[in-house]
Amino acid sequence: MDQRTPHALTRDWSFEPKATDEQKDGIDVMGFVASLWRRKAIVLAVAALLFVLGLIYTFQLTPRYEAMATMRVGGPTSNVVDIEAVLQGPGQGQGFVETEVGVIYSRDLIGRVVDKLNLLDDPDFNPTLLPPKEPSAWRFINPLYYLGLVWELAFPPSTTVGEGMTEEEKRARLRSNAVDQIIGMMKVSQQGFSSIIQIRVESPKPATSARLANAIADQYLVSQFEAKFNAAERASAWLNERLGSLRTEVEAAERALEGYRAKSGLMSSGNETSLLSQQASEVNAQMIMAKTDAATAQARLSRMEQMYKTGGLEAVAKILDSEAIARLRAQESDLARQAADLSQEFGERHPKMVSLRAQVADTREQIKAEVDKIMANLRNDAAVAQTRYSTLAGSLQSLQSQAGDNSSEAAQLRMLEREAEAKRALFDTFLKRFQETSASEDLQQADADIISRAEVPRIASFPPTQQYLLIFALLSLGGGVGAALFVDRILDRGFRRMDQLEQATGLHALSSIPMVKDGDLIKTVLDKPNSSFAEALRNLHTGIKLSSVDEDPKIILMVSAVPGEGKTAVSTSLAAMLAKSGHRVLLVDTDLRRGRSHERLGLLPEPGLVTLLLEHRAISEIAQRHEASGLDVIVGGGAVRSPQDLLGSKSMREFLEHASTLYDYVIVDTPPSSIVSEARLLAAAGDRVVMITHWNRTPRSMVTAAVRQLTEAGAHFAGAVLSQVGERGALIYGYDSYSPYYGKYGEYYQD
């Protein structure tokens, strides 16, 4: 006997099918598609159901409308010593804008919006104002309804307005709930890395969305204004308090300065001199100027006198800067011109000539008198300048003698002056800032402005119907595919394809036997040798022969895991076909409990195998001939107390060995291996064992367990067979590549 394992046997076959790339990688694409196709009703039904539920869910959602207001923000400061810093904001940065976003989200600001818009009088924000309404029946198909119930049971709401609260507490609770509701409706974000903030509000009412977005922006500006106003007010209060203490300090410093001045007799110390030194300096300066003036006056007087002596009146009159002399000289020149003109017409003694000469003489006398007057004034000026110089020189000498006596008092006075001046300057600075800050309280501006106000939206922003429908379509299709795969791969545990049988059992798939409806299998084999059923049996015979390269197997055991697999039908049909083909074939029915081979072949139930083994009868005495095919059959022959003892006996083994010498093939129909133990006892006696499995029915675990048990019992498997395969099911489950009876080549085989 060949002791090779089932896997070793299949590897010896020259026509062993090679696994596809998908099978090598663990992905059977064609099997996946075939599974979906045969479960397409489940796919469509589940997908349609889920999509309808998605439609119901989408269209029962309350539409929401989003409005957006856009703002540009800056940053406030509170440097109370610099009015420009109080009125202006600092540079903007990423951190500042994010901070302002948090400010807009603050409950204080949203509370202002609630109060400004009187939202507690709006039923949308105050549920106590809503009239009671009957619950909708649609809620029972809304999964969110059940999730809400579970959530309320797990986390009871703590924001309900109940009995036992005062009116003030109820209003505060309602206001807090409204603030929470608005915060849940709004979304504040920075536009890129800019200083622009977008305020979005989404609510079931378009007008409410726009009103809330604009109100939030307005209240943010108001809060900025109030923040700057409060900063200026606090600065004014601090400066006012500081000014009080500074005023007291300035007054004390000035009293100390005045007291020391009175005590020392010094009025001012200047920078480094006392009052006397300052006076001396001033007198010295005046003395220098007086000396210069005296020298100038004396020099001018000396020049005039010298010119008067040498040049006479005419020379002096020309250089004196006097309007009177200039006018008299002009008058003299005019009279002289008239006299020259008349001298040609009249004589020297003409009265007009005499009058003109008199006028010229009088004019010259006036000029002389004016010159004498000016000369006298020059003499007086020179004398006065000299006298002033002498007086100042004496005063300077007296002051210089007194200045040295007051140096220590001047130093102390300078110190007091500097202290008083510093405190006065500090007081003046704070007073100026106080006045500016007080004035700025009326000039405050928010460090933000609204770029665009929110408009009433016309199109709902939620739900996004098209996106939801697309998502639900994909999810529904995925759910349908998942349901189909679950049914096909989990609930449907039978073998549907020959490659599944090979992969699960490790046996080669010898053939797939089609189901013959409303017909006698033996008659089909004998009368329709070209039918798909007969061809499947021939494939089975070929597979059995090729399973042993060295010699043709003679003893062939037909086994199954459970009853009803079609094992007896395959055994009797294969035996009849081989006998009809001219082979000497003996069919042995070893199912001593429920053997049915005699019924299929129309033979007597006794005598049979029991009689042969117990009475040691000859095969020729017990075997019955099936006349239509020429098949010899040994039926079970009745029940015995211990079938396993009889079938596991030495007589049984000797019988099979002897039969193999008389016949070309001995086909043994065994009981189900997972139900009784007889098949395992006979496993080692067969040259080859064929596992018969009902298509799409027998659990895979039972088949693999039966193969494992029989292998352990010494069975030499030729392979496995799928029996009772339906034509429509075979096409749906992808048999085109395994069996030509159901695919596009099926017409080649004619009944």
Side-chain angles (χ1 to χ4, degrees):
M1 292 290 183
D2 192 346
Q3 300 296 325
R4 290 175 293 172
T5 63
H7 293 282
L9 292 172
T10 57
R11 283 195 294 267
D12 289 341
W13 295 16
S14 59
F15 61 93
E16 178 184 359
K18 295 183 179 179
T20 63
D21 294 337
E22 292 83 356
Q23 292 171 336
K24 291 179 179 179
D25 296 337
I27 303 176
D28 187 359
V29 177
M30 295 303 298
F32 177 78
V33 173
S35 298
L36 296 182
W37 177 251
R38 62 179 167 266
R39 303 296 182 184
K40 57 181 177 294
I42 296 177
V43 174
L44 295 177
V46 173
L49 176 62
L50 294 179
F51 188 72
V52 169
L53 292 177
L55 283 178
I56 296 174
Y57 170 77
T58 300
F59 288 110
Q60 64 88 33
L61 289 174
T62 302
R64 297 199 296 266
Y65 300 83
E66 182 181 82
M68 181 179 71
T70 306
M71 303 184 64
R72 179 178 57 213
V73 298
T77 64
S78 184
N79 187 352
V80 298
V81 182
D82 187 357
I83 185 61
E84 295 181 358
V86 174
L87 293 177
Q88 296 177 358
Q92 299 141 4
Q94 179 72 16
F96 165 72
V97 177
E98 292 178 354
T99 301
E100 296 307 299
V101 170
V103 171
I104 297 175
Y105 270 120
S106 65
R107 299 183 64 84
D108 179 69
L109 190 144
I110 304 303
R112 292 168 177 259
V113 174
V114 173
D115 299 336
K116 181 68 176 178
L117 300 180
N118 297 321
L119 295 182
L120 294 185
D121 298 331
D122 189 341
D124 293 335
F125 298 92
N126 187 352
T128 60
L129 302 178
L130 292 173
K133 61 180 181 179
E134 293 295 330
S136 174
W138 288 104
R139 72 185 190 279
F140 294 112
I141 63 174
N142 185 357
L144 296 181
Y145 170 74
Y146 300 100
L147 292 178
L149 293 178
V150 174
W151 182 266
E152 290 183 1
L153 291 175
F155 305 97
S158 59
T159 58
T160 56
V161 179
E163 298 181 357
M165 293 184 178
T166 63
E167 290 299 324
E168 183 178 354
E169 291 175 342
K170 290 181 179 179
R171 187 168 183 84
R173 178 62 60 84
L174 290 172
R175 184 178 185 272
S176 177
N177 293 346
V179 170
D180 293 334
Q181 184 177 352
I182 295 176
I183 292 177
M185 296 163 58
M186 61 186 289
K187 179 181 179 182
V188 184
S189 60
Q190 179 184 5
Q191 183 176 341
F193 295 99
S194 66
S195 59
I196 295 177
I197 290 179
Q198 296 174 336
I199 302 175
R200 293 183 174 89
V201 177
E202 191 177 56
S203 74
K205 296 182 178 180
T208 300
S209 299
R211 187 162 61 112
L212 286 175
N214 290 327
I216 293 171
D218 292 337
Q219 289 304 311
Y220 173 75
L221 295 182
V222 171
S223 68
Q224 291 291 298
F225 173 80
E226 291 181 352
K228 293 179 69 66
F229 182 84
N230 293 334
E233 190 176 37
R234 289 193 298 269
S236 297
W238 181 81
L239 287 173
N240 188 30
E241 179 182 356
R242 184 67 178 133
L243 282 173
S245 61
L246 288 176
R247 186 180 289 108
T248 302
E249 294 177 3
V250 170
E251 291 174 354
E254 290 182 346
R255 283 196 300 269
L257 176 61
E258 294 300 326
Y260 188 78
R261 282 176 177 173
K263 178 180 178 181
S264 62
L266 301 176
M267 297 304 296
S268 177
S269 63
N271 293 329
E272 297 181 354
T273 62
S274 64
L275 180 60
L276 293 176
S277 298
Q278 184 177 0
Q279 291 176 354
S281 177
E282 293 176 354
V283 169
N284 183 52
Q286 294 175 5
M287 184 187 71
I288 293 174
M289 294 177 61
K291 184 177 180 180
T292 302
D293 293 342
T296 302
Q298 186 62 39
R300 187 175 183 185
L301 177 60
S302 299
R303 183 183 178 192
M304 289 297 177
E305 290 177 346
Q306 182 67 27
M307 292 182 65
Y308 190 78
K309 290 179 181 181
T310 58
L313 181 62
E314 292 292 332
V316 174
K318 290 181 180 179
I319 66 173
L320 289 176
D321 185 14
S322 173
E323 293 182 359
I325 293 176
R327 179 175 51 77
L328 291 173
R329 283 178 60 81
Q331 183 178 352
E332 180 185 8
S333 298
D334 184 60
L335 292 173
R337 182 181 55 77
Q338 293 179 11
D341 293 339
L342 293 175
S343 65
Q344 299 295 331
E345 184 179 355
F346 304 103
E348 293 292 333
R349 297 182 178 181
H350 191 276
K352 290 185 178 180
M353 292 295 293
V354 173
S355 175
L356 288 173
R357 284 195 294 272
Q359 291 178 9
V360 170
D362 183 59
T363 300
R364 288 179 177 175
E365 286 297 328
Q366 292 179 8
I367 291 173
K368 182 177 181 304
E370 189 68 27
V371 170
D372 291 341
K373 181 180 178 180
I374 292 174
M375 292 295 291
N377 289 335
L378 291 175
R379 292 187 184 94
N380 290 333
D381 291 340
V384 170
Q386 184 63 37
T387 301
R388 183 170 179 272
Y389 169 71
S390 300
T391 301
L392 290 173
S395 298
L396 177 61
Q397 185 177 3
S398 176
L399 290 172
Q400 288 177 346
S401 64
Q402 297 178 13
D405 300 332
N406 297 326
S407 58
S408 59
E409 290 84 353
Q412 181 66 24
L413 181 62
R414 285 194 298 272
M415 183 183 68
L416 293 175
E417 286 177 343
R418 286 194 296 270
E419 182 179 355
E421 183 179 358
K423 292 185 177 181
R424 189 181 300 110
L426 181 61
F427 176 78
D428 291 341
T429 299
F430 273 78
L431 180 60
K432 179 182 178 182
R433 298 308 180 212
F434 173 73
Q435 293 172 346
E436 292 175 345
T437 305
S438 299
S440 71
E441 295 180 6
D442 298 329
L443 301 175
Q444 298 299 328
Q445 296 181 357
D447 293 311
D449 59 332
I450 299 177
I451 298 177
S452 64
R453 302 187 70 82
E455 298 181 354
V456 178
R458 296 186 297 273
I459 301 175
S461 60
F462 178 87
T465 305
Q466 294 182 350
Q467 292 88 330
Y468 271 28
L469 293 181
L470 178 60
I471 292 173
F472 281 129
L474 296 177
L475 292 178
S476 300
L477 183 60
V481 170
L485 292 178
F486 176 79
V487 172
D488 195 69
R489 302 295 173 90
I490 305 300
L491 300 183
D492 189 0
R493 299 179 296 170
F495 292 106
R496 299 179 302 274
R497 300 196 312 273
M498 297 174 70
D499 61 332
Q500 293 178 339
L501 184 60
E502 290 180 343
Q503 293 173 5
T505 62
L507 304 178
H508 190 78
L510 299 175
S511 180
S512 59
I513 309 297
M515 179 181 293
V516 179
K517 297 180 180 179
D518 302 328
D520 186 354
L521 296 182
I522 302 300
K523 184 177 180 181
T524 300
V525 170
L526 299 179
D527 296 344
K528 298 179 180 180
N530 292 327
S531 65
S532 59
F533 180 74
E535 186 60 33
L537 293 176
R538 282 192 286 271
N539 277 344
L540 173 59
H541 176 230
T542 302
I544 295 173
K545 290 184 65 175
L546 293 176
S547 66
S548 178
V549 180
D550 298 331
E551 57 184 6
D552 192 6
K554 286 181 173 283
I555 303 175
I556 302 172
L557 268 65
M558 297 294 184
V559 299
S560 66
V562 293
E565 298 289 85
K567 170 175 52 61
T568 300
V570 173
S571 301
T572 55
S573 299
L574 177 62
M577 183 195 71
L578 293 177
K580 185 66 175 179
S581 300
H583 296 285
R584 293 175 299 160
V585 181
L586 175 65
L587 175 64
V588 180
D589 187 354
T590 60
D591 189 352
L592 303 183
R593 293 180 173 87
R594 302 181 61 184
R596 296 290 183 270
S597 59
H598 63 281
E599 295 178 357
R600 287 187 172 274
L601 297 172
L603 303 177
L604 297 175
E606 294 180 359
L609 182 61
V610 174
T611 303
L612 185 146
L613 295 178
L614 292 179
E615 298 179 6
H616 302 285
R617 304 279 292 273
I619 295 177
S620 58
E621 297 177 6
I622 301 301
Q624 302 181 55
R625 174 62 62 93
H626 182 253
E627 298 299 335
S629 61
L631 171 65
D632 289 343
V633 181
I634 296 180
V635 299
V640 294
R641 180 174 297 180
S642 180
Q644 58 270 26
D645 292 339
L646 182 61
L647 296 178
S649 64
K650 181 179 178 182
S651 299
M652 182 63 187
R653 291 193 298 273
E654 292 176 349
F655 157 68
L656 291 177
E657 291 178 1
H658 177 64
S660 64
T661 61
L662 301 177
Y663 294 91
D664 296 331
Y665 297 103
V666 177
I667 298 177
V668 181
D669 183 8
T670 64
S673 63
S674 297
I675 305 301
V676 293
S677 60
E678 288 90 322
R680 281 175 280 174
L681 295 173
L682 294 171
D687 295 339
R688 287 293 180 268
V689 178
V690 177
M691 173 62 70
I692 309 296
T693 302
H694 196 296
W695 176 80
N696 199 30
R697 191 181 74 177
T698 310
R700 302 180 189 182
S701 59
M702 297 193 70
V703 175
T704 55
V707 171
R708 182 175 60 256
Q709 292 173 353
L710 292 170
T711 302
E712 293 174 353
H716 305 292
F717 279 100
V721 173
L722 282 178
S723 67
Q724 306 183 55
V725 179
E727 291 189 27
R728 175 175 172 79
L731 289 174
I732 293 176
Y733 283 89
Y735 273 94
D736 192 59
S737 61
Y738 280 93
S739 180
Y741 324 125
Y742 312 115
K744 57 187 177 181
Y745 307 113
E747 295 180 355
Y748 183 80
Y749 299 92
Q750 302 294 331
D751 293 339

